[in-house]
């Protein structure tokens, strides 16, 4: 969708830069294949994505996301819903009025497209950069297990993401202008044109094409691939070191258990105590005193922390993998635009390029609908939260004392500040 929004007006309406005030009917943009792909599949994916992301927001609203890196997931779900709404207002609406000749939709589309397109492009850039920011934080935390992002740094990072997205894509609003031709018949009296600022070859080539393609397509793709690889590598090293620590801890725990048994035996059968005396000496080398409940509690907390880190790595790795897979076609098309920009538009009278761009858009927008299944499969805490919320929402026979259960949800993740989901 990112590439499709970027090239929508230039590639779908190649004659709009030559508008001279005459009544010229636009060439047909909709056919059966595009109607099925964009209007049918694309709209269905958006509706499913809106439902799943709204359900995710409702599931996570009781968790302390403002003070943890759950904030990335919460904001990403909000952005996904808005992006899916923008997708339906731009692409399916355009094909519907063109295919069925709906004049009212034609008029509405031309008046709101400038605003919706700008908002959509800013949101897409922000969601991509938000995933990069979450990946960077996870990479920093993977360097050393004690490293954590504070809430202040996280908020500053998110503000930086918003500023970058607005800077890179906010200029779209000034690049489009609507021309009204009242003397023309219906479906010819409104025409989109590129603004005067885009007539400059420097602006069009350097800023619109090179800068946006590099900073919004190539750079996020490369950063996510690199950060994901480095994070997994660092966590594998920490896992090996942590596994060795667990072995030592379990050895000390076993010795402590043996010492406790020896103490009881020494009390009941003094003459057997000499047999277990060597165990006491070994246990003293591990700990000067034995507190079994404390030792077991620490071991349980360490296991829970390792499980949360494992779930966090799996969640982020799956999220990045889906992003890379769904944006690969977009990347390839962008590369072809760099190498041979006219080849795609000339092949098959331009319809091949339109079909590939449409398929790329559907693939990209489909990644927003995969978020909740990914979180549910990869993260145990979020899975428990979603299942608990589902039971309270869809249970037909709830007991009266369970009506306020949503207000009493408590999970291990709720007490975590910086070591939870991502």
């Amino acid at each position: 969708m990112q590439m499709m929004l970027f090239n929508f007006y230039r590639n779908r309406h190649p004659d709009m830069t030559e508008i001279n005030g005459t009544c010229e009917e636009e060439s047909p943009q909709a056919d059966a294949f595009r109607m099925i792909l964009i209007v049918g599949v694309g709209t269905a994916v958006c509706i499913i994505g809106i439902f799943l992301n709204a359900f995710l927001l409702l599931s996570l609203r009781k968790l302390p996301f403002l003070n943890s890196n759950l904030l990335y997931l919460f904001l990403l779900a909000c952005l996904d819903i808005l992006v899916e709404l923008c997708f339906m207002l731009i692409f399916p609406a355009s094909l519907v009025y063109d295919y069925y000749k709906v004049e009212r939709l034609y008029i509405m589309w031309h008046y709101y497209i400038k605003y919706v397109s700008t908002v959509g492009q800013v949101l897409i850039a922000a969601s991509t950069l938000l995933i990069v920011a979450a990946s960077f934080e996870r990479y920093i935390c993977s360097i050393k297990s004690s490293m954590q992002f504070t809430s202040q740094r996280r908020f500053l990072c998110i503000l930086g993401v918003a500023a970058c997205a607005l800077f890179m894509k906010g200029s779209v609003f000034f690049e489009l202008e609507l021309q009204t031709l009242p003397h023309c018949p219906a479906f010819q009296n409104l025409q989109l044109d590129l603004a005067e600022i885009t007539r400059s070859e420097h602006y069009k080539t350097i800023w619109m094409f090179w800068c946006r393609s590099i900073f919004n397509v190539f750079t996020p793709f490369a950063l996510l691939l690199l950060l994901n690889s480095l994070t997994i590598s660092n966590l594998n090293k920490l896992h090996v070191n942590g596994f060795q620590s667990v072995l030592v801890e379990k050895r000390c725990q076993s010795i402590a258990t043996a010492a406790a048994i020896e103490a009881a035996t020494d009390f009941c059968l003094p003459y057997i105590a000499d047999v277990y005396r060597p165990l006491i000496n070994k246990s003293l080398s591990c700990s000067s005193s034995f507190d079994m409940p404390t030792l077991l509690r620490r071991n349980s907390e360490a296991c829970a922390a390792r499980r949360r880190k494992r779930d966090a790595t799996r969640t982020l790795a799956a999220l990045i993998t889906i992003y890379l897979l769904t944006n690969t076609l977009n990347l390839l098309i962008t590369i072809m635009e760099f190498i041979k920009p006219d080849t795609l538009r000339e092949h098959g009278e331009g319809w091949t390029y339109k079909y590939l761009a449409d398929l790329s858009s559907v693939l990209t927008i489909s990644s927003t609908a995969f978020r909740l299944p990914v979180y549910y499969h990869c993260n145990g805490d979020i899975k428990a939260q979603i299942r608990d919320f589902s039971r309270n929402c869809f249970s037909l026979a709830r007991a009266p004392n369970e009506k306020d259960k949503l207000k009493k949800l408590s999970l291990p993740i709720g007490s975590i500040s910086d070591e939870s989901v991502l």
Side-chain angles (χ1 to χ4, degrees):
M1 182 182 178
Q2 184 171 352
M3 181 273 304
M4 190 174 183
L5 276 170
F6 176 73
N7 296 311
F8 180 77
Y9 311 102
R10 185 182 62 191
N11 298 326
R12 275 68 177 176
H13 305 278
D15 56 336
M16 72 179 181
T17 58
E18 301 174 0
I19 293 175
N20 53 12
T22 60
C23 301
E24 297 180 359
E25 186 176 0
E26 294 179 353
S27 58
Q29 298 297 317
D31 61 359
F33 180 80
R34 297 191 74 194
M35 290 293 292
I36 294 174
L37 184 61
I38 296 296
V39 180
V41 178
T43 303
V45 169
C46 287
I47 293 174
I48 294 173
I50 291 173
F51 173 77
L52 292 180
N53 283 294
F55 189 83
L56 180 63
L57 290 177
L58 294 175
S59 300
L60 300 180
R61 75 188 191 281
K62 293 298 181 180
L63 297 179
F65 60 88
L66 290 178
N67 296 323
S68 69
N69 46 23
L70 278 172
L71 183 61
Y72 292 119
L73 298 187
F74 192 88
L75 292 178
L76 194 58
C78 295
L79 294 178
D80 287 341
I81 292 175
L82 296 176
V83 168
E84 287 152 355
L85 290 174
C86 290
F87 180 93
M88 291 190 294
L89 289 174
I90 296 175
F91 305 115
S94 173
L95 295 179
V96 166
Y97 86 69
D98 182 69
Y99 192 81
Y100 294 105
K101 300 301 179 182
V102 183
E103 184 177 1
R104 185 180 297 273
L105 183 58
Y106 167 83
I107 296 173
M108 292 175 57
W109 187 89
H110 279 82
Y111 276 103
Y112 71 64
I113 187 62
K114 181 177 179 179
Y115 304 94
V116 176
S117 178
T118 304
V119 172
Q121 293 222 33
V122 172
L123 292 175
I124 292 171
S127 61
T128 302
L129 293 176
L130 198 64
I131 298 176
V132 175
S135 305
F136 178 73
E137 176 176 337
R138 192 61 196 162
Y139 166 70
I140 294 297
C141 295
S142 70
I143 296 177
K144 190 176 180 181
S145 59
S146 60
M147 285 188 177
Q148 295 181 359
F149 256 47
T150 62
S151 299
Q152 292 78 7
R153 291 181 180 178
R154 189 175 295 111
F155 276 109
L156 289 176
C157 186
I158 292 174
L159 289 177
V161 165
C164 290
L166 189 61
F167 173 75
M168 293 298 301
K169 294 293 189 176
S171 59
V172 173
F173 182 81
F174 305 100
E175 296 169 5
L176 297 173
E177 62 182 20
L178 177 65
Q179 290 191 354
T180 58
L181 306 174
H183 60 281
C184 294
F187 298 99
Q188 299 180 28
N189 55 349
L190 296 174
Q191 294 178 333
L192 282 175
D193 191 11
L194 293 175
E196 187 65 28
I197 189 176
T198 61
R199 312 294 182 185
S200 172
E201 288 296 327
H202 294 288
Y203 183 87
K204 182 168 60 177
T205 304
I206 298 176
W207 175 250
M208 294 180 64
F209 188 73
W210 286 92
C211 291
R212 285 181 180 167
S213 296
I214 291 175
F215 288 105
N216 291 280
V217 179
F218 294 106
T219 302
F221 197 95
L223 283 177
L224 289 176
L225 190 62
L226 178 62
L227 290 173
N228 192 38
S229 302
L230 292 176
T231 300
I232 293 176
S233 176
N234 291 336
L235 290 178
N236 285 336
K237 295 177 182 179
L238 290 176
H239 176 72
V240 172
N241 296 333
F243 181 72
Q244 294 175 353
S245 300
V246 169
L247 291 179
V248 175
E249 184 178 0
K250 286 185 176 296
R251 180 182 176 185
C252 293
Q253 181 180 348
S254 300
I255 294 173
T257 304
I261 296 174
E262 188 276 336
T265 306
D266 190 29
F267 177 79
C268 298
L269 300 173
Y271 62 89
I272 303 180
D274 293 336
V275 178
Y276 295 94
R277 191 65 58 187
L279 292 177
I280 297 177
N281 296 331
K282 291 182 179 179
S283 64
L284 289 175
S285 63
C286 292
S287 175
S288 59
S289 62
F290 295 99
D291 188 353
M292 288 300 297
T294 302
L295 188 60
L296 292 176
R297 184 175 62 254
R298 289 179 179 177
N299 187 50
S300 177
E301 292 174 354
C303 291
R306 287 191 293 272
R307 178 186 59 80
R308 290 192 296 269
K309 290 179 181 179
R310 183 188 67 246
D311 289 351
T313 304
R314 291 176 58 195
T315 303
L316 188 58
L319 195 64
I320 294 174
T321 301
I322 290 176
Y323 173 86
L324 296 177
L325 291 177
T326 54
N327 283 270
T328 299
L329 181 59
N330 179 21
L331 181 68
L332 295 177
I333 294 176
T334 306
I335 293 174
M336 285 297 298
E337 288 181 340
F338 272 94
I339 301 175
K340 295 181 179 180
D342 297 330
T343 302
L344 290 173
R345 298 184 182 92
E346 293 175 357
H347 191 271
E349 298 181 354
W351 286 97
T352 302
Y353 178 72
K354 292 178 182 179
Y355 293 153
L356 289 175
D358 292 340
L359 180 59
S360 172
S361 303
V362 173
L363 287 175
T364 304
I365 200 67
S366 64
S367 64
T368 62
F370 288 139
R371 312 257 196 235
L372 186 141
V374 167
Y375 303 155
Y376 186 86
H377 177 72
C378 296
N379 194 285
D381 291 332
I382 293 182
K383 180 178 181 178
Q385 180 75 4
I386 292 174
R387 293 178 66 178
D388 200 355
F389 180 76
S390 301
R391 285 194 298 268
N392 284 275
C393 287
F394 301 107
S395 178
L396 299 178
R398 287 189 300 177
N401 58 352
E402 293 181 351
K403 290 183 178 180
D404 297 329
K405 190 176 181 180
L406 289 178
K407 299 179 181 179
K408 301 177 182 179
L409 292 177
S410 60
L411 288 170
I413 192 173
S415 60
I416 303 163
S417 60
D418 291 307
E419 291 294 334
S420 52
V421 181
L422 284 180

